[in-house]
Amino acid sequence: MWEQVQETVSFIKAATGFTPEYGVILGSGLGGFTSDMEIEYTLPYEEIPNFPVSTVEGHKGALVFGTIEGKKVVAMQGRFHFYEGYDMKQVTFPVRVMKFLGIEKLIVSNASGGVNPNYKVGSIVVIKDHVNMMPEHPLRGKNDERFGPRFVNMSEPYSRRMIVKAKEIAQSLNIVLQEGVYLGLQGPTFETLAEYRMVKALGCDCVGMSTVPEVIVARHMELETFGVSVITDMGDEESIGTITHTEVLEAAKEAEPKVRTLIKNLIIQY
Ligand code: HPA
């Protein structure tokens, strides 16, 4: 894997000569973020050696390189999910590549189902912690110390300093932010009512099918990480009947301008 990552990094460096400071993973319906960038290069995933190719509707597949008020950013337009059939090493491969392109900070966004009764569709949640209930672990197998240690400290998966900054920014822009714990499940089914109840009983506020593996791998390599989730549906008795992928994409799209503004300002000000 080390060699594959280095090969991909060499290819991208030769193609772009770009050294990003921030990596951003754009979740469902949030792909418009790249309109806030002064784009310098776009590399479709299929042109990048060793990259998997995204298959889900609403997820475009490209690495986009550019700046936001001078800050150098690489954005993943489209991510890889375990439920698509990739293994966890493939799901998290781009995070390793971004690390060796030079990023120090990773910002991850996603759509999720809310179980915290204070949330509603469209709520924006800063992820303060997560519970990993994915069936495969991205660090399982022989550890390569060149990436990071065998046993990874997970006391601060999401940077407390970045959370403080994001809250300041949100307050100054009148964006209402919630804070919560994200539970990662493999999908691709949305949860049953009993499962949403389990999510809540486990002390989590929202549930989704991504993010956790990427953040684990980011922390393995000591990247500072920030996560934000858009509540696209509520996992409760009244709402559960209407949850569809279309509804998820529509709700994410509606919240998109606020999430974009938040991420953009975090990159500029942090
Ligand atoms: N469950 C899991 N993943 C999701 C959901 C959900 O309710 N909404 C958006 N992604």
Side-chain angles (χ1 to χ4, degrees):
M1 164 133 85
W2 175 264
E3 286 72 24
Q4 276 187 318
V5 169
Q6 301 311 321
E7 184 190 15
T8 304
V9 168
S10 299
F11 170 88
I12 295 171
K13 279 189 174 161
T16 68
F18 195 91
T19 304
E21 179 190 354
Y22 281 90
V24 184
I25 303 180
L26 301 168
S28 298
L30 298 168
F33 172 78
T34 52
S35 307
D36 296 329
M37 296 168 60
E38 287 200 39
I39 297 174
E40 294 185 17
Y41 305 94
T42 302
L43 295 181
Y45 292 157
E46 66 260 27
E47 291 175 17
I48 305 175
N50 306 321
F51 248 60
V53 177
S54 184
T55 58
V56 191
E57 190 193 333
H59 292 267
K60 282 190 229 163
L63 274 189
V64 181
F65 297 84
T67 55
I68 294 179
E69 293 198 13
K71 295 277 182 109
K72 293 176 123 184
V73 177
V74 54
M76 280 183 71
Q77 203 163 40
R79 62 144 61 84
F80 304 101
H81 301 86
F82 186 72
Y83 64 73
E84 291 177 84
Y86 305 111
D87 66 37
M88 285 302 194
K89 301 270 190 301
Q90 294 175 299
V91 167
T92 55
F93 184 78
V95 179
R96 302 237 183 250
V97 169
M98 289 192 286
K99 159 80 183 183
F100 288 93
L101 285 172
I103 70 163
E104 291 160 11
K105 286 153 290 226
L106 179 70
I107 298 177
V108 185
S109 68
N110 64 45
S112 69
V115 296
N116 181 326
N118 297 322
Y119 296 176
K120 53 185 194 298
V121 170
S123 288
I124 300 170
V125 180
V126 169
I127 304 174
K128 65 175 177 191
D129 206 345
H130 72 222
V131 172
N132 179 18
M133 286 184 63
M134 296 269 187
E136 190 182 302
H137 198 289
L139 302 182
R140 191 173 86 92
K142 193 172 184 303
N143 185 58
D144 189 333
E145 295 278 334
R146 291 171 291 186
F147 288 119
R150 166 78 293 180
F151 300 104
V152 180
N153 183 294
M154 291 297 281
S155 58
E156 196 178 341
Y158 302 89
S159 161
R160 281 195 275 276
R161 267 188 66 211
M162 289 179 93
I163 292 173
V164 167
K165 191 73 201 172
K167 284 181 175 169
E168 259 173 52
I169 292 166
Q171 196 162 31
S172 73
L173 296 172
N174 281 322
I175 296 172
V176 179
L177 274 193
Q178 305 278 1
E179 217 177 324
V181 178
Y182 176 94
L183 178 81
L185 289 178
Q186 73 165 311
T189 40
F190 293 114
E191 287 63 40
T192 63
L193 187 57
E195 286 164 342
Y196 283 121
R197 285 189 181 132
M198 171 195 76
V199 174
K200 198 172 171 190
L202 286 174
C204 301
D205 301 290
C206 57
V207 54
M209 309 174 194
S210 67
T211 301
V212 167
E214 292 126 317
V215 169
I216 288 171
V217 166
R219 293 305 298 147
H220 186 225
M221 303 182 298
E222 294 194 333
L223 292 175
E224 198 175 352
T225 305
F226 179 81
V228 61
S229 189
V230 174
I231 302 300
T232 54
D233 50 271
M234 289 299 294
D236 57 32
E237 209 152 355
E238 296 107 85
S239 326
I240 188 169
T242 62
I243 302 174
T244 63
H245 186 52
T246 311
E247 191 214 35
V248 165
L249 290 181
E250 275 168 14
K253 213 176 180 109
E254 219 165 291
E256 188 192 53
K258 282 189 260 178
V259 180
R260 262 165 72 171
T261 305
L262 181 70
I263 295 176
K264 189 173 94 182
N265 281 282
L266 187 59
I267 289 171
I268 296 167
Q269 293 180 38
Y270 186 67

